[in-house]
Amino acid sequence: MEAPGVAPIKAQYLTTKEGFHSYLDREGKLRNNKGVGDEAEKNISGYLNEPSAKSRKVEEDGKAGGLQEVANEETSDSKEPQGRKRARGQNKSRPYMNPMHYEKDRLCPSIVQEQADKCFFGSQCRFLHNVKEYLARKPPDLGDSCVLFETFGKCIYGATCRFAGAHFGEDCKNVVNADLLKKWEGKLLVKNGLSKELQQQLRKKKVSFDRSNEYLRHLGKPSHAAGSRSQAAGTSTVGEKGITNCSAPKGSMEEGLSTPGEQVPEVVGMSQKDISVPVILEGPCQQATQVESVLKTVGTVTDEDIVKLRPWEKRKLDLQGKLYLAPLTTCGNLPFRRICKRYGADITCGEMAVCTNLLQGQSSEWALLKRHYTEDLFGVQLEGAFPDTMTKCAELLNQAVEVDFVDINVGCPIDLVCKKGGGCALMSRTNKFEQIVRGVNSVLDVPLTVKIRSGVQEKINLAHKIIPSLREWGASLVTLHGRSREQRYTKVADWEYIAECAQIANPMPLFGNGDILSFEDANRAMQTGVSGIMIARQVIYPLFLQTAVLPVYRGALIKPWIFTEIKEQRHWDISSGQRFDILKDFTSYGLEHWGSDTQGVEKTRKFLLEWLSFLCRYIPAGLLERLPQRINERPPYYMGRDYLETLMASQNVDDWIKISEMLLGPVPSSFTFLPKHKANSYK
């Protein structure tokens, strides 16, 4: 007899909470993963301090999280009794340590870059300039091989690399593999970076937005340059309805803009299915503007390079039979997207980027737009509350970065976004919503997509009123999450309402989203008439495999090999060793992306731990009595088929840190970690 709400795991694997953690501690001691003494004692009682967000609902209120629950809860959120508080939203008061603070004695950047005579700080430099002195104070290396040196033939971090023994000689010289270095010479591995020149122009407000200003003049708005978030809020006014996006004059960015380097040829081996009916996204607007791209290209000259677009033409995006990895905040970083590409993802999208931060030239926000050369179909997602900042940001990205589509986030439910009028709040601000969609579409040369929810309040649906207008405004595709903003992710998605909206949206493609965890659920959802199904914690399954786009949301965090399962139509009982190899690849990609010095190692560890907070929810297929696990079923405590599989099933932060130490060495003495999100998926 199956317990309601609990995944049906075979009886021989079930255990208790105490037995689960006792086994991990006992086996952990034998494998010397943690030291002895206080550390071992800490591990034995560690499970008692699990964050309340990871505790089981069947336990009595007030006992699940112990003292840790009090620390994790936000004291200002609710007036409910302490024992009945729910873990939801973000851990806003979580401890944070800047990765740069883990290393007290740092080597001067001029020494690392082998340009000692060009120290920017001169005699006032507070960094070390003596390499031998730095090496004497530097922590021990974390391994014998450096991924940067083995891949590219040179590690640019030199003596600061935490794997420096592989390429730093006794004469304090950085060893170089000339053959490998020549192989990668001139190739741009990561695109869409923010140059110093462009950053300065944005900060000094010297970037021109001719097309945006022309559009904004039709709204009765002043044509000033993009300002801060407060300026955007203060100058936004309600414009007229029915504005077309056909009147923007010819304009371009300032000549001083920095441009990305030359493109890298696509990776060989990306197969294309022979499909008779393709899905092509194209903008419906009639745009009279002809803009010369500032992006440099190489290769054969085609008609597209010579013949300008006609007024009604826009760059088309062929999405036939593709698997789509949707944007994932925090965890949808570039190394994670590379993992998903390896396992079959065809389309990738960067994390949600705030338009005002991009216009201010914030490096951390521009990092969300970076694109690896293996991402052959790539888009970015923008969030904003006002037409002036959104339109100018879209024009900026249209000129400065390489993307295949742009998505507007109108589904974000978090207070930080909605209280400023963005995200899901735009659904109740239809005038601003229309102005944003029309404005963004008028300055883009690529298709525009929109992600929305059913509404703002729980029982008041708005999507059916908005969807008919979205295509007229310029959207090429709409994705509908069958929950309101108030529901967030906690209640059942309304697929009957999604079916109604699919009929209203026709012929514009509409994808449904919510509560799809298996192929059986997808088959039932396909009968609703949607063009495709977006699954918030699993995968998007198509109405027709030949013609649908398959976006994947948080299910890719739980099992990134879901793309392989979809393409091969099977359940993959992946072993713990194979899953650990995936984590190894992620750390390699992370060190390559964020760096192999102390700062890069700890940043890689941070994002690895965030990902592990989702990976621990995966239940191996071989342990289930029936396949697949349903969306409303939480995993009970169970013993894996080996120690590593059991360790990966732990929802204890200490065990996640233990896994990270297997890959990235011991954590610093002052290291602390708490997941960004309080997951209440099983509450």
Side-chain angles (χ1 to χ4, degrees):
M1 185 68 181
E2 295 182 7
V6 180
I9 294 179
K10 296 176 182 178
Q12 63 265 34
Y13 298 109
L14 293 174
T15 185
T16 63
K17 181 177 183 178
E18 292 75 14
F20 177 84
H21 290 284
S22 296
Y23 168 78
L24 287 180
D25 293 324
R26 183 175 64 254
E27 292 296 320
K29 289 180 183 179
L30 296 176
R31 289 166 172 76
N32 296 321
N33 288 331
K34 286 282 186 183
V36 293
D38 295 339
E39 287 295 329
E41 183 178 354
K42 177 183 176 182
N43 287 338
I44 294 175
S45 59
Y47 65 89
L48 297 177
N49 293 327
E50 290 184 39
S52 58
K54 303 293 179 184
S55 302
R56 295 176 60 186
K57 182 179 180 180
V58 295
E59 301 182 48
E60 296 181 6
D61 292 332
K63 295 182 180 180
L67 297 177
Q68 185 71 20
E69 180 175 358
V70 180
N72 292 344
E73 295 290 349
E74 298 178 38
T75 56
S76 61
D77 277 357
S78 175
K79 296 183 180 180
E80 297 182 59
Q82 178 177 329
R84 300 185 61 183
K85 283 187 177 181
R86 298 185 63 194
R88 61 186 303 174
Q90 294 185 343
N91 283 314
K92 297 179 182 178
S93 59
R94 69 189 188 280
Y96 173 75
M97 174 66 78
N98 190 327
M100 298 180 64
H101 296 165
Y102 288 120
E103 192 175 23
K104 296 181 180 179
D105 300 314
R106 300 175 61 194
L107 194 63
C108 180
S110 64
I111 304 296
V112 178
Q113 299 169 9
E114 300 178 351
Q115 297 177 346
D117 57 332
K118 296 183 179 180
C119 179
F120 296 104
F121 307 101
S123 59
Q124 299 180 348
C125 182
R126 59 186 176 88
F127 300 112
L128 296 176
H129 281 250
N130 190 318
V131 177
K132 292 184 178 180
E133 181 183 357
Y134 170 78
L135 293 175
R137 302 182 185 182
K138 178 186 171 185
D141 283 355
L142 300 176
D144 300 328
S145 61
C146 174
V147 62
L148 295 178
F149 178 71
E150 292 184 349
T151 304
F152 306 109
K154 180 181 179 180
C155 178
I156 61 175
Y157 297 93
T160 62
C161 175
R162 295 302 304 274
F163 310 88
H167 54 78
F168 204 73
E170 296 180 357
D171 56 348
C172 297
K173 296 294 184 180
N174 203 19
V175 179
V176 176
N177 186 329
D179 294 335
L180 271 178
L181 191 62
K182 185 176 180 180
K183 175 183 176 182
W184 292 97
E185 185 178 1
K187 293 185 178 180
L188 187 64
L189 302 180
V190 178
K191 306 175 183 178
N192 299 348
L194 175 63
S195 66
K196 287 295 182 182
E197 183 179 1
L198 176 57
Q199 186 179 47
Q200 291 174 1
Q201 290 179 356
L202 288 171
R203 289 177 175 177
K204 295 178 180 180
K205 301 179 182 179
K206 291 185 177 180
V207 177
S208 63
F209 299 96
D210 296 336
R211 299 171 68 180
S212 299
N213 290 335
E214 178 65 22
Y215 171 77
L216 295 173
R217 276 193 286 270
H218 286 274
L219 300 179
K221 297 178 64 64
S223 56
H224 60 275
S228 63
R229 187 180 289 108
S230 60
Q231 289 175 323
T235 59
S236 296
T237 59
V238 178
E240 301 176 358
K241 290 188 176 181
I243 300 170
T244 63
N245 48 12
C246 309
S247 56
K250 182 175 179 179
S252 61
M253 305 288 292
E254 286 193 349
E255 296 179 357
L257 279 180
S258 174
T259 62
E262 58 184 15
Q263 299 176 349
V264 179
E266 296 182 1
V267 177
V268 179
M270 296 292 180
S271 59
Q272 297 282 344
K273 295 183 180 179
D274 187 11
I275 301 171
S276 56
V277 185
V279 169
I280 300 178
L281 296 185
E282 56 180 305
C285 72
Q286 297 182 0
Q287 182 175 313
T289 306
Q290 296 179 353
V291 179
E292 297 182 2
S293 175
V294 299
L295 299 175
K296 297 179 181 179
T297 58
V298 295
T300 307
V301 177
T302 63
D303 290 342
E304 185 179 357
D305 299 316
I306 302 174
V307 182
K308 301 300 181 183
L309 293 176
R310 294 191 179 104
W312 59 87
E313 289 181 335
K314 180 170 282 202
R315 192 178 305 169
K316 298 180 180 180
L317 181 63
D318 186 0
L319 301 180
Q320 54 185 9
K322 305 294 185 183
L323 288 170
Y324 179 7
L325 174 67
L328 298 164
T329 304
T330 304
C331 295
N333 45 66
L334 186 145
F336 176 77
R337 298 199 303 269
R338 289 184 63 183
I339 291 288
C340 293
K341 284 292 293 183
R342 281 187 49 194
Y343 283 93
D346 299 311
I347 307 169
T348 54
C349 186
E351 302 175 57
M352 180 187 75
V354 180
C355 66
T356 49
N357 294 343
L358 294 174
L359 289 171
Q360 292 167 7
Q362 293 186 14
S363 300
S364 58
E365 206 73 20
W366 276 81
L368 305 179
L369 310 179
K370 289 187 177 180
R371 172 183 189 172
H372 195 260
Y373 76 92
T374 58
E375 298 181 272
D376 45 352
L377 285 176
F378 176 77
V380 295
Q381 187 181 68
L382 296 179
E383 182 279 322
F386 301 99
D388 55 349
T389 52
M390 283 289 284
T391 304
K392 291 174 181 177
C393 183
E395 181 178 0
L396 174 65
L397 299 187
N398 192 63
Q399 299 296 320
V401 302
E402 290 186 48
V403 294
D404 299 298
F405 64 93
V406 173
D407 184 69
I408 298 179
N409 187 327
V410 194
C412 182
I414 66 174
D415 294 340
L416 182 66
V417 172
C418 292
K419 286 183 178 179
K420 296 178 180 178
C424 202
L426 277 175
M427 296 190 66
S428 58
R429 304 170 66 227
T430 53
N431 284 343
K432 285 290 185 289
F433 192 6
E434 176 183 0
Q435 293 166 11
I436 288 173
V437 175
R438 288 186 181 275
V440 170
N441 189 62
S442 68
V443 298
L444 286 178
D445 296 329
V446 295
L448 174 66
T449 64
V450 181
K451 172 73 164 60
I452 64 175
R453 282 179 174 253
S454 60
V456 179
Q457 298 176 330
E458 184 171 348
K459 296 182 179 180
I460 303 178
N461 294 327
L462 300 175
H464 66 283
K465 301 178 181 179
I466 297 174
I467 288 174
S469 303
L470 282 174
R471 182 172 179 83
E472 176 190 348
W473 297 347
S476 300
L477 180 144
V478 175
T479 301
L480 174 61
H481 187 173
R483 292 183 177 89
S484 66
R485 185 208 166 209
E486 285 187 352
Q487 289 177 274
R488 298 175 71 95
Y489 305 97
T490 57
K491 296 186 179 181
V492 177
D494 189 350
W495 274 95
E496 292 183 0
Y497 181 64
I498 293 177
E500 296 176 7
C501 293
Q503 297 298 322
I504 295 173
N506 189 50
M508 180 179 64
L510 182 139
F511 292 85
N513 172 214
D515 293 352
I516 305 296
L517 189 63
S518 67
F519 295 120
E520 291 84 355
D521 294 335
N523 291 335
R524 288 190 292 270
M526 289 187 328
Q527 300 175 6
T528 61
V530 295
S531 302
I533 305 170
M534 177 177 289
I535 304 173
R537 287 176 176 79
Q538 195 64 15
V539 65
I540 288 233
Y541 194 78
L543 179 61
F544 301 106
L545 277 175
Q546 285 91 353
T547 63
V549 182
L550 315 176
V552 177
Y553 258 59
R554 299 198 183 276
L557 295 174
I558 300 174
K559 46 189 297 188
W561 55 92
I562 188 65
F563 300 100
T564 301
E565 293 187 348
I566 287 293
K567 289 187 173 181
E568 299 181 2
Q569 295 289 290
R570 68 181 178 94
H571 295 291
W572 185 359
D573 186 14
I574 188 170
S575 68
S576 59
Q578 291 172 312
R579 292 163 63 191
F580 193 71
D581 288 339
I582 294 176
L583 298 180
K584 284 183 179 179
D585 293 334
F586 177 83
T587 55
S588 296
Y589 296 156
L591 295 174
E592 180 183 326
H593 182 59
W594 290 302
S596 59
D597 57 349
T598 298
Q599 180 180 351
V601 168
E602 295 311 319
K603 187 170 289 189
T604 301
R605 191 193 306 274
K606 168 191 153 185
F607 285 106
L608 173 64
L609 290 171
E610 292 285 0
W611 186 22
L612 286 172
S613 70
F614 288 93
L615 278 176
C616 66
R617 307 178 195 178
Y618 170 71
I619 303 177
L623 274 58
L624 291 169
E625 288 186 345
R626 59 160 172 78
L627 290 171
Q629 177 189 358
R630 297 197 180 103
I631 191 71
N632 59 344
E633 293 175 340
R634 66 182 182 274
Y637 284 94
Y638 65 89
M639 306 290 283
R641 290 164 289 192
D642 53 44
Y643 168 75
L644 188 56
E645 191 168 73
T646 308
L647 183 64
M648 289 181 173
S650 175
Q651 297 181 6
N652 186 358
V653 174
D654 289 337
D655 292 323
W656 304 341
I657 294 176
K658 186 183 298 184
I659 295 174
S660 77
E661 290 183 322
M662 296 179 183
L663 299 163
L664 294 169
V667 298
S669 57
S670 58
F671 182 84
T672 56
F673 175 77
L674 193 65
K676 181 176 181 180
H677 298 282
K678 300 176 181 177
N680 58 352
S681 302
Y682 308 121
K683 284 245 173 187

